[in-house]
Amino acid sequence: MTAMRLESINVSPARAMLIRGREVMTGIGKRAVAGPVEARALGLVGDEQADLSVHGGLAKAVYAYPSEHYPFWQTVRAQARAAAWGEALPSGALGENLTLAGVLEDQVWIGDVLRFKGCELAVSEPRFPCFKFNAAMGFEQAVKLMTANGWCGFYLAVRQPGVLEAGEHFELVPGPREVGIAELFRARTAPGRR
């Protein structure tokens, strides 16, 4: 298995964004920050969420996304003419707080723990994309593509508060292994389900 690494830590204040002709509050525009960042029970210091029904609170304090999916999103954004060919997609562009390498959705289960040097984060549920994701990616089929591929990332609860720093390695500690992130995402996004 590939070494698991925290590629970047991404935060953003909630802000107004014009989507489909109306102004909505969103915290999806995360950007990488340098240096150590404190993880508290309700999320990362310096980060805000606009809609706590989809991101925020104790169970969904932090959102993680695999860096391995970034080349796909760069390509489809170019195909959709939302970005130039070869234009790098910055860390945090998918709305994630943590851009991770070495762990994918089909390798993570509810209750697993990501153990970092300074804190522990428990996997709580998959991310279910909404219209704000289409706006962030710059094209209307982004939600459909995330759903079709199951490349949703996952939310984390802060089990042991502490400090995170980009570049550090972490360990995946198995939980009860009863419900997987990929399995739950497919079940909840099946046609006719949502």
Side-chain angles (χ1 to χ4, degrees):
M1 183 181 222
T2 308
M4 291 172 274
R5 184 174 186 269
L6 175 54
E7 296 290 314
S8 73
I9 301 171
N10 317 295
V11 300
S12 173
R15 66 187 83 181
M17 183 179 197
L18 191 63
I19 302 175
R20 297 181 187 156
R22 68 184 180 114
E23 195 172 271
V24 295
M25 291 299 291
T26 182
I28 200 167
K30 311 289 185 209
R31 291 295 173 251
V33 293
V37 176
E38 189 178 348
R40 296 180 179 166
L42 292 175
L44 303 180
V45 170
D47 190 53
E48 292 181 338
Q49 300 91 27
D51 182 353
L52 298 181
S53 69
V54 293
H55 179 182
L58 294 172
K60 296 181 282 188
V62 177
Y63 172 48
Y65 196 78
S67 63
E68 289 84 352
H69 302 324
Y70 263 69
F72 169 81
W73 291 111
Q74 287 175 202
T75 299
V76 296
R77 289 184 76 240
Q79 290 172 329
R81 297 193 174 113
W85 285 99
E87 181 181 326
L89 194 56
S91 294
L94 282 91
E96 80 273 20
N97 298 117
L98 306 180
T99 309
L100 304 178
V103 61
L104 302 173
E105 292 86 350
D106 63 357
Q107 300 166 322
V108 182
W109 301 68
I110 306 299
D112 284 357
V113 173
L114 305 186
R115 181 176 290 152
F116 295 87
K117 181 175 53 180
C119 75
E120 292 185 0
L121 307 173
V123 176
S124 58
E125 66 178 84
R127 178 237 193 124
F128 298 98
C130 68
F131 69 97
K132 293 177 186 179
F133 182 65
N134 285 341
M137 289 292 97
F139 67 104
E140 285 298 313
Q141 293 76 31
V143 168
K144 288 181 183 176
L145 285 172
M146 181 178 272
T147 303
N149 288 295
W151 293 346
C152 56
F154 44 91
Y155 286 111
L156 301 157
V158 179
R159 190 168 106 168
Q160 177 186 319
V163 175
L164 296 165
E165 190 157 6
E168 73 175 292
H169 291 272
F170 64 93
E171 175 187 4
L172 178 64
V173 180
R177 295 283 166 122
E178 294 166 352
V179 180
I181 287 293
E183 170 188 21
L184 182 56
F185 184 77
R186 280 191 307 271
R188 293 253 325 258
T189 59
R193 171 70 174 103
R194 257 186 118 178

